[in-house]
Amino acid sequence: GESRKLSKKLKARREKIEYALPGLANAAEKTLKHSRDVLYIIESYSANTEKELADELKITAADMRSGGYETAVTRLEGRVGSPMMSDICRGLLGIIRGDDMRMYFSSLTLKLSDVRREKLKEKAKKAPKRVKKLSVALLVCFMLIYMTVIVCQIGSSLSSLFGG
């Protein structure tokens, strides 16, 4: 009961974070055209993203100020526990180590956007099943009401016909 509720909450939180990651990859790609400041990338994106990701990025920014950049990014990856976040962190670590990560973030933006699109399609596919079930249930209810009304009408006309 309780642990399932918690894992559901964590899964929902991770999904919200993952939903915002293509934007983070895109922001990193754009920033890399003029700056290699990982702290700036993290802070500027945390200002305008989903609350869940913003919270993680703020923790990471504080971590970076107090300790090492690599450690902070590695902790971020561990906290979120998502393969998509791992891809982002791999790119950020590359920037910190001095690699040219522009192409990496460019292709990562496309990849993460595709993943997000697929997830949205899956969600959309799940919805109609529920809608269909409800529609059928509604139809059955209408039919029952209709049949009840007809039976009552026939009953009352028969009783008035024979009862006099």
Side-chain angles (χ1 to χ4, degrees):
E2 202 60 39
S3 70
R4 219 170 80 205
K5 225 185 275 177
L6 182 66
S7 73
K8 245 186 181 170
K9 255 186 178 169
L10 288 173
K11 185 178 184 236
R13 185 173 181 279
R14 185 168 53 241
E15 281 174 0
K16 282 182 181 171
I17 289 174
E18 286 177 343
Y19 186 79
L21 289 180
L24 177 55
N26 189 32
E29 178 193 352
K30 282 190 168 60
T31 304
L32 284 173
K33 289 175 184 161
H34 56 80
S35 164
R36 303 180 49 79
D37 185 352
V38 175
L39 184 57
Y40 172 79
I41 293 170
I42 286 176
E43 284 187 323
S44 60
Y45 195 67
S46 75
N48 48 33
T49 185
E50 304 279 323
K51 181 193 182 310
E52 291 77 8
L53 180 58
D55 290 347
E56 287 300 338
L57 294 179
K58 284 171 187 164
I59 293 168
T60 304
D63 249 5
M64 289 167 92
R65 283 204 176 83
S66 62
Y69 277 30
E70 286 190 35
T71 313
V73 171
T74 308
R75 282 189 192 143
L76 169 66
E77 182 179 5
R79 278 194 314 271
V80 176
S82 147
M84 291 167 75
M85 181 56 97
S86 295
D87 289 342
I88 295 267
C89 290
R90 191 172 305 125
L92 294 176
L93 290 171
I95 299 169
I96 292 166
R97 293 176 185 142
D99 303 332
D100 181 4
M101 301 304 284
R102 282 177 298 190
M103 283 306 295
Y104 177 84
F105 275 109
S106 177
S107 62
L108 187 58
T109 301
L110 294 174
K111 177 186 155 190
L112 295 182
S113 296
D114 283 346
V115 170
R116 179 167 69 185
R117 205 171 301 114
E118 285 307 309
K119 284 186 177 180
L120 287 173
K121 275 185 194 167
E122 286 304 307
K123 249 186 186 164
K125 277 182 195 162
K126 283 178 190 167
K129 285 179 193 157
R130 268 181 280 167
V131 173
K132 278 180 196 159
K133 280 181 192 166
L134 289 173
S135 301
V136 170
L138 205 56
L139 184 64
V140 168
C141 287
F142 279 131
M143 295 296 284
L144 285 172
I145 292 169
Y146 196 64
M147 295 304 289
T148 308
V149 169
I150 290 174
V151 168
C152 289
Q153 281 300 314
I154 292 172
S156 68
S157 40
L158 281 179
S159 69
S160 66
L161 196 68
F162 295 112

